[in-house]
Amino acid sequence: MTKSPRRTWFTAAGSALAGVAGLLLPVFGTAGAAQAADSGIHVSNGRVYEADGSEFVMRGVNHAHTWYPTETGAIADIAAKGANTVRVVLSSGDRWTETSGSEVASIIGDCKAAKVICVLEVHDTTGYGEDGAAASLDQAADYWVGVKSALQGQEDYVVVNIGNEPYGNSGYAAWTDATKSAIGKLRSGGIENALMVDAPNWGQDWSNTMRNNAASVFAADPHRNTIFSIHMYGVYDTAAEVQDYLNHFVNNGLPIVVGEFGDNHSDGNPDENAIMATARSLRVGYLGWSWSGNGSGVEYLDMVNGFDAGSLTAWGNRFFNGADGISTTSTRARIYGGGTGGGGGNTGGTAPNGYPYCANGGSTDPDGDGWGWENQRSCVVRGSAADTGSGGGNTGGTAPNGYPYCMNGGSTDPDGDGWGWENQRSCVVRGSAADR
């Protein structure tokens, strides 16, 4: 199996400038008033929603399909770990073998069968301006228009991530106009899906180019349906940097996800705990890099060994099972029968005690005590003896975001942000800013 080089990483010049990233101030105002049409996955007031109006928070994994096209079970394996989204690496043919329209349709089918949302990205643009082999965003846009037949009618299931890390640390000032132009080409070419755009500077935006120009880029989309993606590696090695960046977008009503991050990297040690905790508290999506197949010295970013779903690495175990990880914060998309605060039907959602409901009902509860076992963690059988605590009053039950209400009210919330800590996990203070 050939290990494909993933990217050229952060240069010395970028590292030197990263330290001043937090000093650059925002220059745009709120964009919260702009809304997309409420069809398919769409943006409204800085949040991502499904067609039925259910808020959708991405909790997912990146999968390097274009380098490992025979690993066709990866999407289902990722979904089985509890992820609600898979970001899939494709190629426009400018750098690697082109992912054909029929192949795109097959990948979408795999995502739908596994009940995850597909974020599809063209990887050939990585490091444009610094890496001479990289393709431009305009070339990526041409690719998407060329495979639009596979995307049309899939607006409930697919987000189009125009190009991965589309500028390196050279020429990145052109990111704004190039991104606007690519969005325009996709919309005029008939692509109606929600779009995602990556930051420049190898995705890390240490220059704050995306941050400072996001409002105008969002407004350039006639559908007002563009999501911004920041990649958090060595630039984001403190909680303050993570919180400052994500809060800026949230406070300005602009949709943001952490499209890639890891627990280690050669350009610095990212604060994965802060990334995951901040994303959880802000209801911001995150997509960890990556399922398996990393090479060129970054093999430690693999979540499983050799595409074996039963062989989690240390990073994979932390990502799926650790604090603020997939197992405790991921909720299946409503279009697949999931949803927050109890979910739809008889499966999916979160029980009042904070554990997920068993997706397979009582079939995973052989002793009939109401507790099952799915996706490597305990779950609650809906309506069983374990499905308790949903009563009235000011305590107990589950908040709309899927976290349990704090049994002791605000006494466990010393900083007043609406989040408390009880029974070794986060809880929501009823009626607080977090209760939404």
Side-chain angles (χ1 to χ4, degrees):
M1 183 179 296
T2 301
K3 299 292 186 181
S4 182
R6 181 164 131 54
R7 66 183 74 219
T8 302
W9 280 102
F10 211 55
T11 66
S15 299
L17 286 168
V20 301
L23 302 178
L24 302 178
L25 299 177
V27 296
F28 57 85
T30 183
Q35 297 186 18
D38 56 351
S39 60
I41 297 171
H42 63 279
V43 172
S44 180
N45 293 318
R47 299 289 179 182
V48 179
Y49 293 90
E50 296 186 65
D52 71 348
S54 303
E55 185 174 351
F56 182 68
V57 179
M58 295 181 188
R59 289 284 182 267
V61 176
N62 285 267
H63 166 50
H65 168 83
T66 201
W67 305 314
Y68 300 98
T70 61
E71 296 293 343
T72 55
I75 291 173
D77 288 342
I78 292 168
K81 295 292 185 187
N84 64 21
T85 304
V86 179
R87 182 173 181 256
V88 185
V89 176
L90 308 182
S91 174
S92 58
D94 295 291
R95 190 166 186 177
W96 297 285
T97 301
E98 180 177 346
T99 310
S100 67
S102 61
E103 197 173 356
V104 172
S106 178
I107 291 167
I108 294 171
D110 290 343
C111 284
K112 292 167 73 172
K115 299 184 178 180
V116 292
I117 297 301
C118 252
V119 176
L120 304 177
E121 60 102 340
V122 162
H123 215 78
D124 305 58
T125 57
T126 306
Y128 181 77
E130 184 173 348
D131 188 336
S136 67
L137 280 173
D138 189 62
Q139 288 171 292
D142 286 338
Y143 167 78
W144 290 119
V145 173
V147 298
K148 70 178 179 180
S149 61
L151 304 171
Q152 291 173 325
Q154 305 300 326
E155 291 80 8
D156 287 335
Y157 307 96
V158 176
V159 175
V160 174
N161 190 172
I162 302 176
N164 184 69
E165 302 179 1
Y167 282 87
N169 295 323
S170 301
Y172 56 83
W175 176 89
T176 303
D177 287 343
T179 302
K180 290 178 180 179
S181 177
I183 290 170
K185 179 172 281 191
L186 265 63
R187 294 305 189 210
S188 64
I191 292 176
E192 302 293 320
N193 306 72
L195 303 179
M196 185 179 289
V197 295
D198 282 7
N201 309 130
W202 301 99
Q204 297 200 77
D205 202 28
W206 54 258
S207 65
N208 280 347
T209 299
M210 184 172 82
R211 170 174 162 159
N212 292 344
N213 294 283
S216 67
V217 170
F218 185 81
D221 180 357
H223 293 357
R224 303 296 193 270
N225 201 18
T226 296
I227 303 161
F228 297 92
S229 175
I230 181 68
H231 294 182
M232 289 188 162
Y233 292 103
V235 172
Y236 299 92
D237 56 358
T238 68
E241 290 166 323
V242 172
Q243 292 163 2
D244 176 69
Y245 197 91
L246 296 181
N247 270 298
H248 182 82
F249 278 77
V250 171
N251 292 339
N252 283 278
L254 290 161
I256 183 77
V257 301
V258 182
E260 289 185 20
F261 73 104
D263 65 340
N264 190 21
H265 212 273
S266 55
D267 71 337
N269 186 11
D271 191 341
E272 72 280 4
N273 295 325
I275 293 168
M276 296 169 80
T278 304
R280 183 266 301 161
S281 66
L282 295 178
R283 309 196 324 273
V284 164
Y286 66 64
L287 306 169
W289 186 277
S290 71
W291 182 241
S292 195
N294 287 286
S296 302
V298 295
E299 289 84 356
Y300 50 78
L301 288 171
D302 282 1
M303 294 180 179
V304 298
N305 295 300
F307 289 93
D308 181 356
S311 180
L312 286 173
T313 64
W315 166 224
N317 187 57
R318 191 270 169 270
F319 181 81
F320 288 106
N321 301 318
D324 304 304
I326 292 290
S327 65
T328 57
T329 69
S330 177
T331 300
R332 179 179 290 171
R334 185 69 65 89
I335 197 160
Y336 296 124
T340 58
N346 294 318
T347 60
T350 306
N353 60 14
Y355 282 84
Y357 282 117
C358 300
N360 297 309
S363 63
T364 57
D365 174 28
D367 59 1
D369 66 352
W371 289 95
W373 184 260
E374 292 178 350
N375 300 322
Q376 304 302 306
R377 68 160 297 175
S378 296
C379 59
V380 171
V381 178
R382 189 183 294 274
S384 70
D387 189 12
T388 60
S390 60
N394 293 319
T395 58
T398 306
N401 58 17
Y403 281 81
Y405 282 119
C406 301
M407 297 298 294
N408 297 309
S411 63
T412 58
D413 176 25
D415 59 1
D417 66 351
W419 289 95
W421 183 260
E422 292 177 351
N423 300 319
Q424 303 303 305
R425 70 161 297 175
S426 298
C427 59
V428 172
V429 178
R430 190 182 294 273
S432 68
D435 188 13
R436 57 185 180 179

